[in-house]
Amino acid sequence: MIAAWVGFVALSVQPVSTPFTVESVDQHVIHGQVDRANGPARGAVVMVAGSGAFDRDMRFGRSGTDRDAIFADLAGRMTSNGLDVVRYDRRGVRHGVSALEALDREAYPGVTADNLSRDLEAVYAWTRSSNGLGARCVVVLVQSEGAAHAAGMAARGEVPSPDLLIGIGAPLESKAAVLQWQLTLRDAESLEMMDRDGDGVITNEEVEANIGTTPSGVFGRAEPFLQPDGGWTAAEIETLRRNQRALFEQTREAALGLPDEDPYPDALTPVFSQGWWKSWFTDDRPLARLFSTWSTPMILHYGSLDSQVREARQRPAAEAYLPDHQVRIVLHPGRGHSLGPHQLMGPMDEAIADEIARDASRACGG
């Protein structure tokens, strides 16, 4: 349920920003910036992006406005709530250059699941260190796969736990379970959601009318889900599941057969290493179990339309490994993976963005 906070207005003051660099465990140099609080800072927020070639702004929207830069937009709300904000460029991505120059094509072999987590740890340690930002209270905000990077940091246990962890479409089940749902279950579950009259048959009319309110609406087209005979029966949906499971196994086998150091998805756009891609098939550790080494409070936001991570699958993981008092799960009706109206992309609903900024501020005494 989304809390209504009447009278709060996010200030539109542009924060003062200062650049920083931090060296990661393998001597890779991480570049970022600190957006300074409006007034004395009561703490800091470290922002961690999910899967993609994201720089510190995390531009991932369809509005054509500055609000598409999800992390930059959130930073303005956080600084207005008395917090410094630490944002950094993901390994292999350059900030402030043209799209053609943004990818560091030499860096992709190091864009692995482990290095992405250790990069976060280096930034987090710098944020707390007296030789860095020196923040006494630190909130970690993770978007999507960013939760896996934070969970890896928790499992290693080499840094103090944060004062709060905020999740945006953040998985608690394993990475392997997330990918398997996306490739083998999302379409079947979406079709079942379209059966509005509950008769067990999903007609083409129901598909066209309702696909936009399901996770598979992320593709923006009803045509792939239309049946030549006019509808889907339960048996046909089960056949779809079976066929997609077979395709998943083929995809898995092909991925595991490639060298770890090869580029993913290809040599033209080397965003990750194949080693990173393989981890989505092989890493079956529930992230909730990794987070259980921390007593950190967690506020996890999910959208009912999320095309990547389903809230209903994360609750059992939380219940299995984390005490009830540690985790607050918030489900936002009609919102997607980035907590906006689209199944996947932003911009984020402004009321939710303000709610997140307030929660971060409260964690540091605001």
Side-chain angles (χ1 to χ4, degrees):
M1 186 173 184
I2 303 175
W5 294 84
V6 179
F8 174 84
V9 178
L11 301 180
S12 58
V13 177
Q14 281 291 95
V16 174
S17 300
T18 55
F20 73 87
T21 59
V22 175
E23 194 171 274
S24 192
V25 67
D26 61 349
Q27 287 74 58
H28 169 76
V29 178
I30 304 162
H31 296 265
Q33 70 184 58
V34 179
D35 302 310
R36 297 292 179 171
N38 297 339
R42 59 176 58 96
V45 180
V46 178
M47 294 187 172
V48 191
S51 305
F54 291 124
D55 66 12
R56 65 195 72 174
D57 294 338
M58 211 201 106
R59 186 168 293 276
F60 194 56
R62 310 194 309 162
S63 72
T65 70
D66 288 343
R67 295 208 63 244
D68 287 344
I70 293 173
F71 278 3
D73 179 74
L74 276 172
R77 300 168 197 272
M78 299 284 191
T79 57
S80 296
N81 276 268
L83 297 168
D84 288 339
V85 179
V86 179
R87 300 186 281 130
Y88 64 98
D89 305 327
R90 204 217 69 193
R91 181 183 289 243
V93 181
R94 300 186 182 98
H95 178 259
V97 298
S98 70
L100 289 175
E101 300 171 295
L103 286 183
D104 180 353
R105 296 175 184 277
E106 302 302 316
Y108 74 81
V111 187
T112 66
D114 184 63
N115 279 345
L116 292 174
S117 180
R118 291 183 180 275
D119 290 351
L120 164 61
E121 188 167 315
V123 172
Y124 177 83
W126 176 88
T127 301
R128 281 207 177 273
S129 170
S130 58
N131 295 322
L133 191 59
R136 289 188 171 185
C137 176
V138 181
V139 175
V140 173
L141 182 146
V142 297
Q143 187 267 344
S144 193
E145 187 196 350
H149 308 332
M153 185 168 73
R156 286 189 296 273
E158 296 172 3
V159 291
S161 60
D163 295 88
L164 174 68
L165 186 135
I166 298 176
I168 300 169
L172 289 178
E173 61 184 336
S174 71
K175 290 171 63 175
V178 169
L179 184 65
Q180 190 161 27
W181 178 83
Q182 291 175 4
L183 298 186
T184 70
L185 296 172
R186 176 171 54 196
D187 289 343
E189 290 184 11
S190 292
L191 282 165
E192 290 168 344
M193 292 168 66
M194 299 179 213
D195 185 13
R196 294 303 172 89
D197 59 11
D199 66 353
V201 175
I202 298 90
T203 66
N204 285 348
E205 289 76 16
E206 286 178 309
V207 169
E208 290 175 322
N210 300 307
I211 190 169
T213 60
T214 73
S216 291
V218 66
F219 303 113
R221 297 173 62 234
E223 289 79 6
F225 298 92
L226 300 179
Q227 285 284 73
D229 62 358
W232 293 82
T233 65
E236 288 169 328
I237 292 176
E238 183 53 39
T239 298
L240 172 67
R241 285 193 182 94
R242 191 162 52 248
N243 290 342
Q244 290 191 333
R245 281 196 295 268
L247 287 171
F248 173 82
E249 290 302 326
Q250 293 174 18
T251 303
R252 181 180 186 276
E253 185 177 350
L256 297 184
L258 295 171
D260 286 356
E261 63 274 13
D262 277 9
Y264 176 89
D266 52 51
L268 292 176
T269 53
V271 180
F272 299 96
S273 69
Q274 288 290 346
W276 169 86
W277 176 228
K278 290 179 186 182
S279 72
W280 286 93
F281 294 96
T282 60
D283 191 344
D284 58 2
R285 300 171 300 167
L287 300 187
R289 176 165 60 83
L290 304 186
F291 279 127
S292 68
T293 63
W294 285 346
S295 58
T296 300
M298 304 170 72
I299 304 174
L300 306 175
H301 295 264
Y302 301 97
S304 66
L305 300 182
D306 195 324
S307 61
Q308 309 302 109
V309 175
R310 302 300 290 163
E311 176 265 351
R313 294 175 60 90
Q314 311 320 307
R315 282 186 184 273
E319 291 166 357
Y321 296 101
L322 300 167
D324 290 344
H325 68 268
Q326 187 176 350
V327 183
R328 176 157 68 92
I329 291 178
V330 187
L331 179 63
H332 300 280
R335 295 296 176 255
H337 192 53
S338 300
L339 303 179
H342 187 259
Q343 286 87 349
L344 176 61
M345 303 182 73
M348 187 183 296
D349 181 288
E350 291 205 59
I352 300 174
D354 289 341
E355 179 183 351
I356 287 171
R358 282 189 300 271
D359 283 338
S361 181
R362 287 194 192 98
C364 294

